[in-house]
Amino acid sequence: MTSKIIDDKSVHCIPFISEHLSKQRRKCLDKGEQPLPCFLELNGVQGAGKTTLTSRSPPRSLPTTILSIDDLYPTHTAQVALAQSRPDNPLIQHRGEPSTHGLGLGASVFAALKARQPGDRAHESEEVNKPGEPTIDVVVFEGWCVGFRPLSDAEVEKKWTEAREEKLWETQLAKHRLRDLLFVNDALEGYSSLHAFINIDAEDTKDVYEWRLEQEAALRASKGTGMTDEQVINFVNGYYPAYELYTATLRQGIFDSGGLGRQLRLIVDRGRRVKSVERA
């Protein structure tokens, strides 16, 4: 049975967003500059409730745009070319992992939003800051891998070696070659950080499997179509090595000492309810 997603997160996130928007405005005004939008990263494992949160959390009195990592996928032709360039790397044979996004498009959209100029998202029909409309004050960039930061090659190898030596075959990390993991890790260098970060974290990251199984079961029941349980497991397996590599850094805090207070972490239980809240 699908567990109901309860919005008990907005009560924590709205004040956090408002706080950082105010700080951003004061910082610009103190310099005699036009206030910039507040750029917020939102990370959450698949099924944790990001969609519900983004539909309610930004202060709705403020012009807000939600940009998903899914908006930055390249064309099918470009994805096929990437996959064929490394046909033996299973991590990039489908969209999703770092390296499979159109970072040039993302950079142009963020630059336009920062300059409060018109800019396109994935399609021309999704233009932002259009003439005659209020310019955007809050930009929420959400996705399952948003906020991931690259590790050193030595750190990746250490995690991979430990997984293999301890025979953690129930995980996915040990099942991949080191060079394939390093390729994805290197790609993260092109993913820049923003003003503030919200992380919807699961008490047990493996809950992502059950949450995705629930979602697909609901789709099959309501629409008669959806992935089978086996397909869901294989699908999540493709993403899971990244959770194993980068979740620890998310939990420790993605900003350096100068960024204290810029990260909000909501820890949710199996039922997606907030169990605790941390600031970093």
Side-chain angles (χ1 to χ4, degrees):
M1 179 181 295
T2 302
S3 57
K4 183 179 180 181
I5 297 179
I6 304 297
D7 180 27
D8 57 352
K9 304 170 185 65
S10 296
V11 66
H12 304 289
C13 295
I14 290 176
F16 179 79
I17 295 171
S18 297
E19 171 192 333
H20 283 279
L21 178 60
S22 296
K23 286 182 178 179
Q24 180 67 22
R25 284 177 167 172
R26 286 198 303 270
K27 183 178 179 180
C28 292
L29 291 174
D30 288 346
K31 295 180 179 179
E33 300 173 350
Q34 180 185 16
L36 298 173
C38 177
F39 289 84
L40 172 77
E41 294 176 280
L42 172 62
N43 170 280
V45 297
Q46 297 177 36
K50 291 191 303 298
T51 301
T52 299
L53 179 60
T54 54
S55 68
R56 303 182 185 185
S57 277
R60 306 317 284 183
S61 60
L62 298 172
T64 301
T65 190
I66 310 295
L67 180 67
S68 171
I69 193 74
D70 293 347
D71 293 328
L72 303 183
Y73 284 137
T75 63
H76 175 69
T77 300
Q79 173 57 40
V80 169
L82 173 64
Q84 291 179 344
S85 71
R86 292 176 177 266
D88 55 349
N89 185 344
L91 296 172
I92 61 171
Q93 297 309 303
H94 51 78
R95 292 173 171 177
E97 288 279 354
S99 76
T100 66
H101 304 108
L103 298 186
L105 173 60
S108 67
V109 172
F110 286 135
L113 289 166
K114 184 176 181 180
R116 297 185 180 275
Q117 296 174 346
D120 292 337
R121 289 172 59 174
H123 307 285
E124 291 185 4
S125 61
E126 296 178 292
E127 187 180 8
V128 294
N129 284 338
K130 292 184 287 187
E133 293 186 357
T135 53
I136 298 299
D137 283 326
V138 179
V139 180
V140 179
F141 182 43
E142 65 89 10
W144 75 278
C145 64
V146 168
F148 286 1
R149 299 294 184 260
L151 305 174
S152 68
D153 288 358
E155 288 175 298
V156 174
E157 184 170 4
K158 181 175 183 292
K159 288 176 179 286
W160 176 78
T161 300
E162 288 175 349
R164 292 178 65 85
E165 289 180 347
E166 295 175 18
K167 296 182 172 57
L168 301 178
W169 299 109
E170 73 277 10
T171 72
Q172 296 302 308
L173 194 61
K175 298 177 182 179
H176 289 271
R177 294 177 303 182
L178 178 60
R179 67 185 185 189
D180 295 337
L181 298 168
L182 289 172
F183 178 81
V184 171
N185 185 69
D186 289 345
L188 278 174
E189 292 287 352
Y191 293 64
S192 58
S193 61
L194 304 179
H195 294 148
F197 179 58
I198 295 176
N199 176 28
I200 306 176
D201 194 8
E203 284 185 309
D204 184 349
T205 308
K206 290 182 181 178
D207 284 341
V208 66
Y209 284 94
E210 290 302 319
W211 289 336
R212 191 60 193 243
L213 286 166
E214 289 175 356
Q215 290 176 337
E216 293 300 322
L219 278 174
R220 293 196 301 269
S222 63
K223 298 185 178 181
T225 182
M227 289 190 284
T228 65
D229 287 356
E230 182 180 1
Q231 289 172 327
V232 169
I233 298 300
N234 290 333
F235 176 77
V236 178
N237 283 348
Y239 291 84
Y240 207 82
Y243 290 136
E244 296 177 76
L245 284 174
Y246 306 112
T247 296
T249 301
L250 293 185
R251 291 172 176 171
Q252 293 166 4
I254 65 173
F255 299 109
D256 58 25
S257 58
L260 293 178
R262 292 166 58 190
Q263 178 165 330
L264 179 69
R265 179 181 174 220
L266 309 179
I267 300 94
V268 301
D269 62 15
R270 174 67 184 79
R272 304 181 180 89
R273 292 181 179 272
V274 175
K275 301 297 290 185
S276 59
V277 180
E278 299 176 0
R279 291 284 295 263

